[in-house]
Amino acid sequence: MTDFKIGDEIYHKSDPSIIWIIERINENENEIYCSKVVKETLEKKEISFSINSIAKRVIPTIIFNKRSRRSDW
C-alpha cells in the first residue's frame, strides 16, 4: 500500500481530472473515504474508493537554472 494520509489529494485512476480529499481510511476493508466540494453549488460530495483504484496527486515542479554567460562557446 502506498502511504496515504488523511488530507491527501488523490484521484481515481479512471478519471484523473477530479481531485478528491481523503477523510477516512479503513485498511481492514481496503477502502478510502473521500470528499470534495463542488464550486458552483458549494455542495459536498462523498464517495469511497478501494485503495488499489486511486493514485496520489503529484504537483509538478519547475526548476529554473541560473544562466551563465560564457563567451568561450
Side-chain angles (χ1 to χ4, degrees):
M1 174 180 136
T2 352
D3 296 326
F4 291 113
K5 301 178 294 197
I6 295 176
D8 282 348
E9 293 183 343
I10 57 110
Y11 62 90
H12 192 267
K13 292 179 181 176
S14 68
D15 188 6
S17 65
I18 301 175
I19 303 301
W20 297 90
I21 307 294
I22 297 176
E23 287 195 352
R24 189 174 43 153
I25 301 171
N26 190 350
E27 292 183 17
N28 297 333
E29 296 178 9
N30 201 21
E31 282 190 324
I32 290 185
Y33 298 91
C34 304
S35 69
K36 70 177 238 128
V37 175
V38 180
K39 286 183 186 179
E40 294 80 22
T41 61
L42 296 177
E43 178 184 359
K44 184 177 181 180
K45 300 270 186 174
E46 296 178 344
I47 196 166
S48 65
F49 297 117
S50 69
I51 293 178
N52 300 330
S53 67
I54 62 172
K56 198 180 258 193
R57 179 178 180 214
V58 178
I59 300 172
T61 58
I62 300 173
I63 299 173
F64 294 99
N65 291 332
K66 185 177 179 182
R67 290 183 131 190
S68 64
R69 297 181 120 182
R70 295 181 57 189
S71 60
D72 57 334
W73 289 52

